[in-house]
Amino acid sequence: MDSKIVYLFAVASLVKPGLFQNNSETLDIYKTAVENLHRHMRLTANYYTDYPDNGQETNATYDFIVIGSGPSGSVMANRLSEIPRWKVLLLEAGDEPSVITEIPFVSGALQFTNYNWGYKAEKQEGFCRGCSGGSLKWPHGKVLGGGTNINYMIQVRGNRIDYDRWAAMGNPGWSFDDVLPYFLKSEDAHIEKQDEEYHRRGGYLSVSDVPVRTESVRAFVEAAQEAGHPYVDYNGKSQLGVSYVQGTLRNGRRCSAEKAFLRPVRSRKNLRILTKARVVQILINPDTKEAYGVRYTRNKKYHTAIARKEVILSAGGLNSPQLLMLSGVGPRDHLEELGIPVVKDLPVGQKMYDHATFSGVLIQVNDSSIVFNQEQETLNPQTYIDFLVNGKGTFTSLGKYTKALTYIKTNASTDPDPSYPDIELIYVGGSLNTDKGLIYRRIFNVPQDMYDVIWKPFENKGLIQIFPMLVHPRSYGYIRLKSKNPFHWPRFYANFLSDPENHDVKTFVAAVREIERIIQSPSMRKYGAALVRTQIPGCEQYDFGTDAYWECAVRTITGTFYHQVATCKMGPPEDPEAVVDPKLRVYGVKNLRVVDTSVIPLPVTAHTTEPAYMVGEKASDLVKEFWGKKRPSGRDERRPG
Ligand SMILES: Cc1cc2nc3c(=O)[nH]c(=O)nc-3n(C[C@H](O)[C@H](O)[C@H](O)COP(=O)(O)OP(=O)(O)OC[C@H]3O[C@@H](n4cnc5c(N)ncnc54)[C@H](O)[C@@H]3O)c2cc1C
């Protein structure tokens, strides 16, 4: 039975035929268990998705067409259809989510399903030198709810300074004080230690503490405080410090954008939601430069839908720039080179930030019982009862491990503001070897031979990982179309660790030093916590622990947390990098807005889902204002149940 238990959940595919891409005979023994789990969840749930396949009519007319149902697009579809006279169409390329997506524990396995576009970044020098195939995987949600149905549900808003800087860049209305009401508008918070004035109850999106904590996570949270990092509500007054993670969970299950914002309103007469509907072009009149509809494929046929008022592009940080370029909005040279008629020359996809990480900080402890034990937990019937009946226990843990976040300002930071972190430390109560290298090794693209050297010797021993996430990278990449065929993947150039001052690498090294310091605190020292000193293959020429060693290590097993932003950057007219104005309207094209993470102008001190919800909430008010339908503030539909 061993570690292949991980696949128990990956066989979610069996619930929807063809979902899982890498089916394998070894999965069969888990089939019955999963089916039972699925059946039970159906029985105990109030409702499940089942969006009617209500066909499509060519040339049907709507007031608004929303492309993409991620957190931003789902909010847009919901809020715009609050106006009964507005007809809204939401088009989503992916399928409905299976109920299996509700189990937080299986998040990682969902990357191996058709709910993931399956992108990879281009191979480049300077990072990921030791990754399988030499490149990064860039999973991206392709399912109703977008990324929120495959992500790890870590809920972070970001730092006040992030948003104040957006405003200072010439984006009025986007300072922290301006956007806080929109964070609050969505929220239904159930957090034990929270700064009250920064949270509320009653919104569509449930946020809660994770109802399971391992002893090792508790030890780490104590140790961080002993090392001088105060316990904080990182979504509250101050972000610098340590905290148990807050997750987008409802009763211990995933609360996706689909569950929060679409399911409760899917029967509105003026809202039509079509899944498996892939937009291939935004229709823009080349003379008037007005967007007037979209062309999409569904059931192997092409269709057209017309928008009387606006097209809202919410296809996410990678697909929104792709669609704009396919529709003639992008860098002139690039479009001409591909034979795409240029509607508007704009720097689409020219800048792309992401949050890099590094999977090489391993900590050994002398008591394996404090570390998450996958086999023991997943073979224990109580684990299933806890989850199914009580919404508690192991299966509620985000992406399998219980986590804590610590925001630190390392001594590599040159930022003048003392309260602005440059690193987030993600503490996971296990390691890439917790599942014997089956899922998370593949997610972080670590080759088997490297796994065998670094992780395998510690299987069934106490091993913990801390992932440092570089929150304000100086390096940035870009996106190019491969061709004008909408079904070809774009080319993604991540350019990680490429800034001329090598500041990004120096920040990672400083983060490792801080981790070393924290684990020396009494609460971790009592478990003999110490860095694993096995040299990472490819870095043997450096003495372990030197700056040069860590630089090599970071460049060898580089990873990412999939937070691509700025590909359709928001900025004032004088900003040469701007694609949309501060009201998210595409420059030079009428009736077209971009509303998703791609408009975020600078990387945030956050994971990007919560900012995406906020962007959707704010944008829907901007649209209502523009069309004279702004609702009085504070009026909000509560989610049912
Ligand atoms: C594996 C993974 C883990 C993550 N973990 C976290 C986390 O723990 N916490 C966090 O805050 N963030 C996390 N993120 C990031 C987060 O999920 C994204 O930033 C967020 O979902 C982006 O929201 P969005 O609205 O911009 O678009 P997306 O969520 O990307 O949604 C865009 C939608 O548009 C659809 N679409 C794209 N092209 C077309 C087209 N041509 N026609 C029709 N539909 C189209 C897509 O299928 C998708 O459903 C994670 C992301 C991934 C991939």
Side-chain angles (χ1 to χ4, degrees):
M1 289 285 237
D2 70 25
S3 61
K4 292 192 182 60
I5 196 76
V6 176
Y7 277 137
L8 192 154
F9 299 107
V11 288
S13 59
L14 301 165
V15 175
K16 276 209 170 227
L19 178 68
F20 190 60
Q21 293 161 347
N22 297 327
N23 222 332
S24 147
E25 285 170 20
T26 56
L27 308 185
D28 286 353
I29 51 171
Y30 302 108
K31 178 176 172 178
T32 314
V34 171
E35 283 175 344
N36 285 340
L37 185 65
H38 179 244
R39 210 168 294 130
H40 189 89
M41 287 187 75
R42 270 195 179 275
L43 289 174
T44 56
N46 295 331
Y47 41 39
Y48 278 102
T49 58
D50 298 333
Y51 286 78
D53 180 346
N54 49 11
Q56 61 275 314
E57 311 131 39
T58 292
N59 286 330
T61 300
Y62 298 84
D63 291 289
F64 296 93
I65 298 174
V66 181
I67 307 169
S69 67
S72 302
S74 292
V75 171
M76 290 305 282
N78 177 319
R79 299 296 185 192
L80 296 183
S81 62
E82 283 173 348
I83 311 292
R85 272 191 292 135
W86 283 354
K87 254 179 100 180
V88 179
L89 172 67
L90 173 63
L91 296 172
E92 167 54 50
D95 204 348
E96 289 174 33
S98 151
V99 71
I100 294 290
T101 58
E102 294 215 334
I103 310 171
F105 185 82
V106 308
S107 308
L110 298 173
Q111 289 179 40
F112 300 91
T113 70
N114 290 340
Y115 296 155
N116 174 10
W117 285 87
Y119 294 139
K120 277 187 190 149
E122 296 292 310
K123 188 172 171 175
Q124 289 180 286
E125 240 319 286
F127 65 95
C128 235
R129 288 172 178 161
C131 300
S132 296
S135 71
L136 284 170
K137 284 183 177 164
W138 259 359
H140 225 63
K142 186 186 182 188
V143 52
L144 205 59
T148 65
N149 257 319
I150 65 166
N151 72 15
Y152 299 125
M153 292 155 285
I154 298 170
Q155 203 265 7
V156 189
R157 285 180 189 158
N159 196 289
R160 167 179 284 277
I161 298 165
D162 295 331
Y163 302 101
D164 288 348
R165 287 190 182 168
W166 296 13
M169 289 163 81
N171 297 302
W174 291 93
S175 72
F176 184 74
D177 288 340
D178 291 321
V179 299
L180 180 60
Y182 290 108
F183 283 121
L184 293 172
K185 185 174 180 184
S186 296
E187 193 180 55
D188 183 32
H190 297 262
I191 298 152
E192 196 190 331
K193 285 191 179 174
Q194 63 175 30
D195 295 340
E196 295 296 337
E197 66 275 35
Y198 289 84
H199 295 278
R200 75 173 274 251
R201 291 227 172 151
Y204 281 108
L205 181 69
S206 306
V207 179
S208 77
D209 293 313
V210 178
V212 58
R213 286 173 187 167
T214 57
E215 205 179 323
S216 83
V217 174
R218 291 182 198 281
F220 177 79
V221 168
E222 286 299 315
Q225 291 174 82
E226 289 155 6
H229 302 284
Y231 192 91
V232 290
D233 166 6
Y234 57 73
N235 285 319
K237 253 194 311 284
S238 163
Q239 204 182 20
L240 276 178
V242 63
S243 171
Y244 291 111
V245 69
Q246 298 174 21
T248 39
L249 296 176
R250 186 182 297 165
N251 301 326
R253 299 179 186 192
R254 179 188 295 272
C255 184
S256 68
E258 180 277 320
K259 190 194 250 187
F261 283 92
L262 298 180
R263 214 180 287 182
V265 302
R266 67 189 164 157
S267 56
R268 279 183 189 158
K269 296 274 178 293
N270 61 335
L271 173 63
R272 187 166 206 194
I273 300 171
L274 293 183
T275 55
K276 294 178 275 181
R278 179 161 171 177
V279 176
V280 293
Q281 192 187 0
I282 300 162
L283 302 171
I284 305 171
N285 181 318
D287 302 321
T288 61
K289 313 267 182 203
E290 280 176 343
Y292 63 91
V294 298
R295 193 156 184 261
Y296 66 98
T297 58
R298 193 161 191 259
N299 296 336
K300 299 187 179 150
K301 285 196 187 118
Y302 281 94
H303 307 274
T304 301
I306 306 296
R308 266 188 296 257
K309 291 187 167 62
E310 292 191 25
V311 174
I312 310 284
L313 178 56
S314 300
L318 301 180
N319 290 41
S320 283
Q322 180 197 22
L323 262 179
L324 278 184
M325 290 193 272
L326 287 169
S327 313
V329 179
R332 176 177 296 281
D333 292 353
H334 181 50
L335 300 189
E336 284 178 349
E337 178 193 10
L338 297 174
I340 299 173
V342 180
V343 174
K344 177 70 187 163
D345 180 13
L346 283 176
V348 173
Q350 300 279 63
K351 207 165 201 183
M352 171 175 53
Y353 290 101
D354 190 10
H355 280 152
T357 186
F358 154 59
S359 51
V361 188
L362 276 66
I363 297 154
Q364 196 184 358
V365 290
N366 58 17
D367 180 354
S368 63
S369 73
I370 68 162
V371 173
F372 173 63
N373 183 321
Q374 174 155 314
E375 281 173 34
Q376 196 176 304
E377 292 289 331
T378 52
L379 293 175
N380 181 354
Q382 189 59 41
T383 305
Y384 294 80
I385 294 166
D386 281 349
F387 180 69
L388 293 167
V389 179
N390 305 317
K392 294 198 183 327
T394 296
F395 289 166
T396 66
S397 62
L398 310 186
K400 195 181 301 182
Y401 311 109
T402 308
K403 297 183 184 87
L405 305 184
T406 313
Y407 288 92
I408 62 174
K409 182 170 161 92
T410 70
N411 55 20
S413 171
T414 55
D415 196 280
D417 198 303
S419 63
Y420 205 38
D422 58 349
I423 283 283
E424 177 192 293
L425 300 178
I426 303 176
Y427 182 90
V428 302
S431 152
L432 299 195
N433 72 4
T434 306
D435 60 15
K436 306 273 195 292
L438 277 171
I439 295 285
Y440 282 86
R441 175 184 71 74
R442 291 185 166 92
I443 286 176
F444 283 95
N445 232 3
V446 169
Q448 185 68 50
D449 51 355
M450 186 183 293
Y451 176 87
D452 291 345
V453 173
I454 306 283
W455 282 271
K456 200 170 177 54
F458 294 95
E459 283 179 359
N460 301 322
K461 297 186 181 147
L463 194 67
I464 287 160
Q465 285 200 225
I466 297 178
F467 291 88
M469 182 173 96
L470 186 66
V471 287
H472 303 299
R474 294 193 182 173
S475 313
Y476 55 86
Y478 58 97
I479 297 181
R480 290 283 181 274
L481 293 182
K482 198 176 288 166
S483 79
K484 63 179 181 186
N485 182 337
F487 299 101
H488 285 171
W489 281 7
R491 293 202 163 101
F492 307 110
Y493 298 88
N495 272 356
F496 282 177
L497 313 177
S498 63
D499 65 298
E501 299 91 24
N502 210 22
H503 187 263
D504 289 350
V505 166
K506 287 178 193 156
T507 307
F508 269 124
V509 175
V512 175
R513 305 272 175 241
E514 184 56 20
I515 293 170
E516 272 186 290
R517 200 178 73 79
I518 293 173
I519 64 172
Q520 288 312 309
S521 302
S523 293
M524 288 296 283
R525 208 171 47 217
K526 76 174 179 210
Y527 295 111
L531 288 185
V532 168
R533 297 178 67 85
T534 318
Q535 306 270 109
I536 289 177
C539 300
E540 297 88 345
Q541 69 272 39
Y542 302 106
D543 287 339
F544 181 89
T546 58
D547 286 3
Y549 172 79
W550 286 118
E551 169 157 3
C552 174
V554 169
R555 290 188 185 278
T556 302
I557 39 176
T558 327
T560 162
F561 279 103
Y562 331 111
H563 298 159
Q564 299 90 1
V565 298
T567 49
C568 306
K569 184 186 165 191
M570 167 174 70
E574 61 276 15
D575 179 350
E577 296 174 344
V579 172
V580 299
D581 73 8
K583 298 201 166 165
L584 309 185
R585 295 171 297 204
V586 174
Y587 279 112
V589 182
K590 290 188 205 111
N591 305 336
L592 177 60
R593 284 182 218 243
V594 183
V595 180
D596 59 26
T597 43
S598 63
V599 303
I600 292 176
L602 287 174
V604 276
T605 323
H607 298 240
T608 38
T609 300
E610 185 55 10
Y613 281 117
M614 178 278 287
V615 167
E617 291 283 16
K618 165 114 186 142
S620 55
D621 265 6
L622 291 171
V623 172
K624 286 175 179 173
E625 255 165 42
F626 183 83
W627 295 97
K629 293 282 183 198
K630 174 88 175 68
R631 305 188 100 195
S633 61
R635 271 188 72 189
D636 185 10
E637 294 195 16
R638 292 171 67 96
R639 66 175 172 79

